[in-house]
């Protein structure tokens, strides 16, 4: 026990845990992580709570914190970092992630290069917990990239010059706060706006009163009528909106296919597209898909979804939850291959423990750091 405690203190897990808000010590000490002495790879994890700079409002909920779990995967003196981000409405929590990660036994694997075998096994542990699974996937990719001495975009052969600008999300708020948020987003070339309320047009007009930058909109399933949705999209096109994400409820497949056919703007499925089989279902229903590591269990599946969507001539955007720079930097490794990116989750929080891929003048700029691109 003493050795284990020393290891946790050395690795920074206990010390940093004391700095995290909202986590009871007794909960933490019971669930701090599993170290299997016979394993060549050591997986450890800790709950952490992200503090948002602004209260974040969607069409369905508001919140000011997001629970995450940070993972570490060690092998041969090298450490990979990972993260599970779990907005409450998606059903995962500190407790569910800790429970899931406690079941992960990597002792059966010889080394971390067995990525497919390892992540197939992790996925098979249960049918749920996509974010907890992603935290293992990201740490494993970080570890393997570091062992190979290359960032993943290079391992995959992607061209770092092809990364898109990222949008910056302006949450639903009062007119004055919205104007303030637009000012704070000066560096960004594309703004993303959350719609799906009575005040949709007012929100767009408020932004248009202070900037003419391109806007993308995310309705988060908020429009229930296809004719209303089409009228809105026609209006939005005149306001220099570039695409519409998840305009209607995810179950309304036929209406959505009708809308996409008539829409003057590309439509993207987000809530309706979680994992690989959903890409095929989205074909002919949406113009494109929004890939997020936390929905699809991590980089391994995200890269397969990207390849599949492109082969179906669908557009691809990369999205995120509120996350630290760990998961954002991981997702950014795929950025050279997508048309649109919405990787601003780390910029919305005030207690990011990591540094990774940077946004410079609104553009995603990949670095040379091996693995997922973290510098700390
Ligand atoms: Mg969305």
């Amino acid at each position: 026990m003493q050795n284990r405690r020393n290891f946790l203190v050395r690795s920074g897990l206990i010390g940093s845990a004391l700095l995290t808000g909202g986590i009871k010590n007794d909960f933490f000490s019971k669930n701090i992580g599993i170290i299997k002495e016979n394993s060549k790879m050591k997986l450890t994890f800790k709950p952490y709570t992200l503090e948002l700079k602004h209260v974040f409002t969607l069409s369905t909920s508001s919140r000011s914190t997001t629970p995450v779990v940070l993972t570490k995967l060690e092998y041969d003196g090298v450490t990979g970092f990972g993260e599970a981000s779990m907005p409450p409405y998606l059903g995962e929590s500190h407790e569910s992630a800790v429970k899931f990660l406690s079941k992960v036994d990597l002792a059966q694997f010889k080394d971390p290069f067995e990525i497919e075998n390892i992540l197939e096994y992790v996925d098979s542990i249960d049918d749920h917990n996509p974010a907890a699974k992603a935290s293992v996937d990201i740490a494993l990719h970080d570890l393997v990239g570091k062992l190979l001495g290359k960032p993943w975009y290079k391992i995959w052969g992607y061209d770092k010059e092809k990364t898109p600008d990222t949008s910056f999300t302006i949450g639903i708020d009062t007119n004055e706060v919205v104007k303030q948020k637009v000012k704070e987003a000066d560096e960004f070339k594309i703004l993303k706006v959350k719609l799906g309320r009575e005040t949709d047009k007012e929100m767009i007009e408020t932004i248009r009163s202070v900037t003419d930058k391109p806007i993308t909109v995310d309705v988060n399933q908020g429009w229930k009528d296809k004719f209303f949705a089409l009228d809105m999209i026609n209006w939005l096109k005149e306001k220099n909106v570039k695409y519409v994400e998840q305009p209607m409820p995810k179950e309304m497949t036929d209406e959505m296919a009708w809308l996409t056919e008539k829409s003057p703007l590309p439509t993207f499925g987000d809530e309706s597209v979680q994992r690989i089989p959903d890409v095929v279902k989205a074909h002919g229903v949406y113009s494109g898909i929004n890939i997020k590591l936390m929905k699809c269990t991590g980089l391994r599946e995200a890269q397969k979804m990207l390849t599949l969507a492109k082969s179906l001539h669908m557009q691809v955007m990369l999205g995120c939850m509120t996350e630290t720079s760990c998961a954002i930097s991981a997702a950014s490794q795929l950025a050279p291959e997508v048309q649109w990116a919405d990787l601003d989750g780390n910029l919305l929080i005030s207690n990011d423990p990591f540094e990774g891929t940077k946004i410079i003048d609104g553009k995603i700029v990949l670095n040379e750091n091996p693995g997922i691109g973290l510098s700390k």
Side-chain angles (χ1 to χ4, degrees):
M1 196 60 202
Q2 192 56 36
N3 280 347
R4 179 180 155 174
R5 187 175 167 78
N6 287 344
F7 168 79
L8 293 167
V9 170
R10 265 202 320 278
S11 63
L13 281 171
I14 283 184
S16 51
L18 298 176
L19 299 174
T20 62
I23 299 165
K24 288 187 191 142
N25 280 342
D26 58 344
F27 168 79
F28 197 85
S29 58
K30 268 188 235 157
N31 296 288
I32 191 149
I34 302 299
I35 298 171
K36 297 185 190 306
E37 295 303 332
N38 58 344
S39 175
K40 291 174 181 154
M41 280 176 279
K42 283 181 181 171
L43 176 68
T44 52
F45 44 89
K46 67 168 183 179
Y48 188 72
T49 299
L50 303 183
E51 310 285 343
L52 276 62
K53 290 177 188 167
H54 292 286
V55 174
F56 197 65
T57 304
L58 301 174
S59 65
T60 48
S61 60
S62 296
R63 66 176 195 278
S64 59
T65 61
T66 299
V68 302
V69 168
L70 304 177
T71 53
K72 274 187 180 186
L73 189 56
E74 294 172 80
Y75 174 81
D76 204 16
V78 179
T79 303
F81 294 93
E83 173 181 9
S85 170
M86 301 167 292
Y89 64 93
L90 293 175
E92 291 185 76
S93 62
H94 279 156
E95 288 80 0
S96 69
V98 164
K99 193 172 165 204
F100 177 85
L101 292 168
S102 300
K103 293 183 202 161
V104 176
D105 178 6
L106 301 180
Q108 59 192 295
F109 300 101
K110 183 166 65 20
D111 65 51
F113 295 100
E114 289 183 67
I115 293 176
E116 288 290 324
N117 288 341
I118 292 169
L119 295 177
E120 227 168 74
Y121 152 73
V122 169
D123 195 20
S124 74
I125 293 173
D126 75 28
D127 290 339
H128 307 290
N129 300 97
K133 290 171 181 174
S135 76
V136 181
D137 168 288
I138 295 168
L140 182 61
H141 279 83
D142 194 35
L143 175 62
V144 169
K146 284 171 174 166
L147 290 165
L148 295 173
K150 291 270 187 288
W152 271 94
Y153 72 85
K154 280 197 176 169
I155 296 170
W156 286 320
Y158 298 160
D159 178 355
K160 71 187 276 195
E161 301 307 320
K162 289 187 177 169
T163 55
D165 291 330
T166 184
S167 52
F168 183 82
T169 301
I170 308 290
I172 295 167
D173 217 312
T174 62
N175 286 355
E176 285 317 302
V177 176
V178 166
K179 285 182 188 172
Q180 181 58 33
K181 286 179 178 174
V182 171
K183 271 190 202 140
E184 287 173 25
D186 190 43
E187 179 194 358
F188 297 88
K189 300 202 166 57
I190 305 175
L191 301 177
K192 174 168 165 172
V193 180
K194 296 286 191 178
L195 298 185
R197 295 186 148 197
E198 299 292 310
T199 50
D200 283 356
K201 286 190 176 176
E202 188 185 341
M203 176 84 180
I204 298 292
E205 297 285 16
T206 301
I207 293 173
R208 279 288 166 257
S209 73
V210 284
T211 179
D212 57 2
K213 282 179 189 174
I215 296 174
T216 70
V217 304
D218 187 354
V219 188
N220 289 115
Q221 315 184 71
W223 298 335
K224 316 293 183 198
D225 178 272
K226 66 181 182 183
F227 298 104
F228 174 79
L230 184 58
D231 283 348
M232 278 300 294
I233 295 174
N234 281 320
W235 184 83
L236 290 166
K237 183 172 189 327
E238 299 306 310
K239 301 288 171 189
N240 195 20
V241 167
K242 296 301 182 189
Y243 66 77
V244 181
E245 195 180 324
Q246 200 67 55
M248 301 186 71
K250 60 183 177 183
E251 309 76 21
M252 296 181 76
T253 309
D254 292 345
E255 291 88 343
M256 196 52 238
W258 177 91
L259 183 62
T260 295
E261 201 191 325
K262 303 258 184 305
S263 172
L265 296 177
T267 61
F268 282 81
D270 180 8
E271 286 87 338
S272 53
V273 181
Q274 314 278 319
R275 302 197 56 181
I276 289 172
D278 301 318
V279 180
V280 179
K281 290 181 201 156
H283 185 229
V285 178
Y286 298 90
S287 319
I289 60 167
N290 184 350
I291 297 176
K292 294 178 180 169
L293 300 188
M294 298 303 148
K295 291 191 297 187
C296 75
T297 74
L299 284 168
R300 167 178 172 261
E301 185 143 335
Q303 205 245 357
K304 292 177 199 283
M305 290 171 75
L306 170 68
T307 307
L308 175 57
K310 290 182 77 151
S311 74
L312 294 168
H313 303 290
M314 297 177 78
Q315 295 191 36
V316 178
M317 64 174 286
L318 270 178
C320 62
M321 311 297 176
T322 37
E323 302 169 351
T324 75
S325 290
C326 178
I328 294 291
S329 202
S332 73
Q333 302 296 312
L334 293 162
E337 292 290 293
V338 305
Q339 284 95 346
W340 304 96
D342 180 35
L343 293 181
D344 63 350
N346 56 334
L347 308 172
L348 305 176
I349 61 172
S350 57
N351 59 342
D352 188 350
F354 294 99
E355 264 179 36
T357 300
K358 294 263 185 280
I359 305 301
I360 300 175
D361 286 335
K363 185 178 156 73
I364 296 168
V365 178
L366 292 165
N367 59 45
E368 300 295 319
N369 298 328
I372 59 171
L374 295 177
S375 51
K376 85 170 190 194

